Amino acid sequence: MKILNLAGTEDTPKVILDKENELFEISGRSLPEDSAEFFAPILNWIEEYADDKNDETRFLFKLEYFNTASSKLILDVLSKLEEIEGVTVVWYYHEDDEDMQEAGEEFEELVELEFEFETY
């Protein structure tokens, strides 16, 4: 399966989706001009991955900031992950960032996925 590797910018998160090396991570800042366009390849990759998934998947979110448009697409990502058995979401947040911690907790309430919360 092809690796999806998007370099992060000031407005877009770094994305690495690599089935073989078990790397599934979205990190950085997410406020792209067109969130739907940015997240489309991520959602497509997850759909393809669902057909030939690993036994366990630890999907990491290490976001410093995301805008409202991105939050909808993050929920779409989580909803796609929800359809895959054996997924755990690891939600990282800076120890002083209560907003990001609360955002993760709100996402956890909206989907039926196992969440782990880690500080950095």
Side-chain angles (χ1 to χ4, degrees):
M1 187 171 173
K2 193 173 178 185
I3 296 168
L4 180 63
N5 188 351
L6 305 173
T9 68
E10 198 172 296
D11 296 335
T12 60
K14 173 184 170 191
V15 178
I16 178 81
L17 301 175
D18 181 348
K19 177 185 187 295
E20 209 170 285
N21 293 302
E22 299 182 4
L23 295 171
F24 310 94
E25 182 177 322
I26 299 176
S27 59
R29 296 168 46 86
S30 183
L31 48 154
E33 199 168 301
D34 185 340
S35 293
E37 182 181 318
F38 178 81
F39 278 90
I42 298 168
L43 295 167
N44 292 338
W45 191 95
I46 293 170
E47 280 182 24
E48 189 179 324
Y49 175 72
D51 294 334
D52 184 26
K53 65 178 188 61
N54 295 345
D55 292 336
E56 291 184 6
T57 305
R58 292 178 59 80
F59 202 103
L60 283 53
F61 286 89
K62 291 184 178 178
L63 295 167
E64 297 166 19
Y65 175 83
F66 58 86
N67 63 8
T68 305
S70 292
S71 68
K72 160 79 171 87
L73 276 301
I74 291 167
L75 183 57
D76 289 351
V77 168
L78 292 169
S79 296
K80 289 247 184 263
L81 292 173
E82 197 174 18
E83 300 168 11
I84 302 171
E85 196 174 314
V87 172
T88 300
V89 172
V90 184
W91 188 270
Y92 284 86
Y93 59 94
H94 191 275
E95 61 187 350
D96 297 332
D97 191 349
E98 289 179 17
D99 291 338
M100 194 56 71
Q101 178 184 359
E102 288 173 11
E105 291 167 353
E106 289 172 12
F107 283 126
E108 181 183 28
E109 291 174 13
L110 294 171
V111 293
E112 293 186 23
L113 285 167
E114 182 181 333
F115 268 68
E116 294 176 7
F117 292 90
E118 301 284 341
T119 57
Y120 66 89

